[in-house]
Amino acid sequence: MRVAPPSVALLIVFPLLFGTFSIPAQDETAVPAWISFERAEEASREGPDRDYAEALRLYSQALAVQPLYPEAHAGIARLYRTEGDVAMARRHYERALEQSRAFQIPDEEYALRIELAEMYFQTGATEDYRNALQRVINRDPVFAGIDGSL
């Protein structure tokens, strides 16, 4: 059995013992936005491992990498809605809808508009509820008719 000379052993052990060897921190902006988004979705799912704070951090991280990401705003809106912060939920629903042309699945816009309408209904904002449903009808070709009018 061959033993390494003491000088080589010190070069390996000394940094580990005295902290002169460091591992660089991972740059969060290097993580693709969709990975942060998927991790946020996982953190916000129902169950014993649900972690809203971590989900919010991850959605925000996704937005830092890709500012035009309506799905991330929708995720944040749902978190705030679940926590009862209607003002913040509304802000993020509206941001997601402003960016609706960037949805990976375009029909998500309609589902999000209905979620927003449901939130209005639950909070007693009857006029906002009616207006939100009217916007769904006006924008959805199934309801709006061929020429876009009722």
Side-chain angles (χ1 to χ4, degrees):
M1 180 166 148
R2 188 166 179 230
V3 178
S7 60
V8 174
L10 283 175
L11 286 174
I12 295 170
V13 174
F14 186 79
L16 294 174
L17 291 176
F18 297 102
T20 57
F21 178 76
S22 64
I23 298 171
Q26 182 180 2
D27 180 12
E28 290 186 347
T29 60
V31 176
W34 69 269
I35 290 176
S36 296
F37 175 79
E38 289 301 324
R39 289 177 180 163
E41 291 284 287
E42 184 65 32
S44 65
R45 281 197 178 88
E46 297 241 0
D49 295 336
R50 178 184 277 180
D51 186 348
Y52 286 131
E54 179 65 3
L56 184 58
R57 185 188 74 75
L58 289 164
Y59 284 129
S60 298
Q61 182 178 318
L63 286 168
V65 173
Q66 184 178 324
L68 184 64
Y69 202 161
E71 290 88 351
H73 281 293
I76 292 172
R78 291 176 183 125
L79 289 176
Y80 281 120
R81 181 178 176 193
T82 301
E83 290 296 305
D85 189 338
V86 175
M88 287 299 288
R90 181 179 185 155
R91 177 185 296 167
H92 284 280
Y93 274 124
E94 288 173 355
R95 255 196 213 139
L97 291 169
E98 287 168 6
Q99 299 178 357
S100 64
R101 291 181 189 258
F103 270 118
Q104 292 291 321
I105 301 171
D107 284 349
E108 275 294 305
E109 176 188 351
Y110 303 111
L112 203 61
R113 287 187 182 281
I114 290 171
E115 278 182 42
L116 181 59
E118 288 171 348
M119 185 182 76
Y120 290 147
F121 181 76
Q122 291 169 346
T123 59
T126 309
E127 189 65 28
D128 289 333
Y129 170 68
R130 278 194 214 115
N131 291 337
L133 289 179
Q134 188 62 52
R135 281 190 288 278
V136 170
I137 292 168
N138 292 343
R139 295 182 64 88
D140 189 336
V142 172
F143 292 113
I146 296 171
D147 65 356
S149 63
L150 292 176

